[in-house]
């Protein structure tokens, strides 16, 4: 590749590193073109799966401020630039790797933090954003209901006490 072409490729990769919410590393050794096409289809809408030269990716990662990430680029490595939810992309990679043992998730970077393969697996095991938000809303609603009950309890107790006294006086009369 000519020097200007390499510089353009590095600039484009550095831009992708900066613009992505997360970047996941995989080893794709032994996968067929059809399998890679299927993987790209499963990631559509969440991420872009790209095979790049390690040296160019390492230079681009350093330009994007990801020094530690550049050290993980060894062997046949493909980058998954996540544009959507990182959890969804990690799940898609994990599910594809279950069916195709040749795909190995090596690690990644999310919000500037380098992730190892186990951390990417943890990310994939998280529930979707919508489910987590629904659980948080349910917990908040439960806390608010409990607080409302505590504020109303003294007043309702006073009303029951007054009713009991009135019934006692009516029975005595």
């Amino acid at each position: 590749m000519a020097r200007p072409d390499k510089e353009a490729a590095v600039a484009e990769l550095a831009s992708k590193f900066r613009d992505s919410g997360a970047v996941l590393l995989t080893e794709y050794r032994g996968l067929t073109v059809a399998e890679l096409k299927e993987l790209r289809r499963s990631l559509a809408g969440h991420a872009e799966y790209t095979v790049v030269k390690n040296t160019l990716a390492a230079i681009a990662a350093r330009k994007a401020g990801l020094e530690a990430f550049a050290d993980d680029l060894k062997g046949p490595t493909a980058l998954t630039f996540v544009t959507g939810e990182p959890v969804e992309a990690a799940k898609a990679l994990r599910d594809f790797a279950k069916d195709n043992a040749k795909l190995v998730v090596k690690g990644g970077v999310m919000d500037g933090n380098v992730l190892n393969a186990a951390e990417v697996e943890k990310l994939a095991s998280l529930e979707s954003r919508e489910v987590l938000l629904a659980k948080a809303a349910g917990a908040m609603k439960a806390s608010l209901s409990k607080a409302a009950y505590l504020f109303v309890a003294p007043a309702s107790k006073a009303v029951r006490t007054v009713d009991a006294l009135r019934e006692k006086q009516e029975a005595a009369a």
Side-chain angles (χ1 to χ4, degrees), residues 127-142:
E127 293 172 334
S128 70
R129 182 177 189 269
E130 290 77 20
V131 172
L132 292 174
L133 287 173
K135 285 184 175 184
M140 284 186 229
K141 182 182 176 200

Side-chain angles (χ1 to χ4, degrees), residues 42-65:
S42 70
L43 289 168
H46 304 293
E48 177 186 346
Y49 192 77
T50 309
V51 176
V52 295
K53 289 189 171 209
N54 288 342
T55 53
L56 297 180
I59 294 168
R62 286 189 180 93
K63 280 190 175 186

Side-chain angles (χ1 to χ4, degrees), residues 3 6-15 17-18 52-67 69-71 73 79:
R3 189 110 176 109
K6 288 182 181 180
E7 289 174 5
V10 167
E12 182 183 348
L13 285 171
S15 172
F17 273 115
R18 282 187 217 99
V52 295
K53 289 189 171 209
N54 288 342
T55 53
L56 297 180
I59 294 168
R62 286 189 180 93
K63 280 190 175 186
L66 303 171
E67 293 291 327
F69 181 76
D71 298 335
L73 295 166
L79 301 173

Side-chain angles (χ1 to χ4, degrees), residues 17-39:
F17 273 115
R18 282 187 217 99
D19 296 341
S20 299
V23 180
L24 304 175
L25 281 159
T26 59
E27 183 176 319
Y28 63 93
R29 183 179 301 166
L31 289 175
T32 65
V33 172
E35 291 169 334
L36 285 173
K37 192 174 186 180
E38 180 185 335
L39 174 60

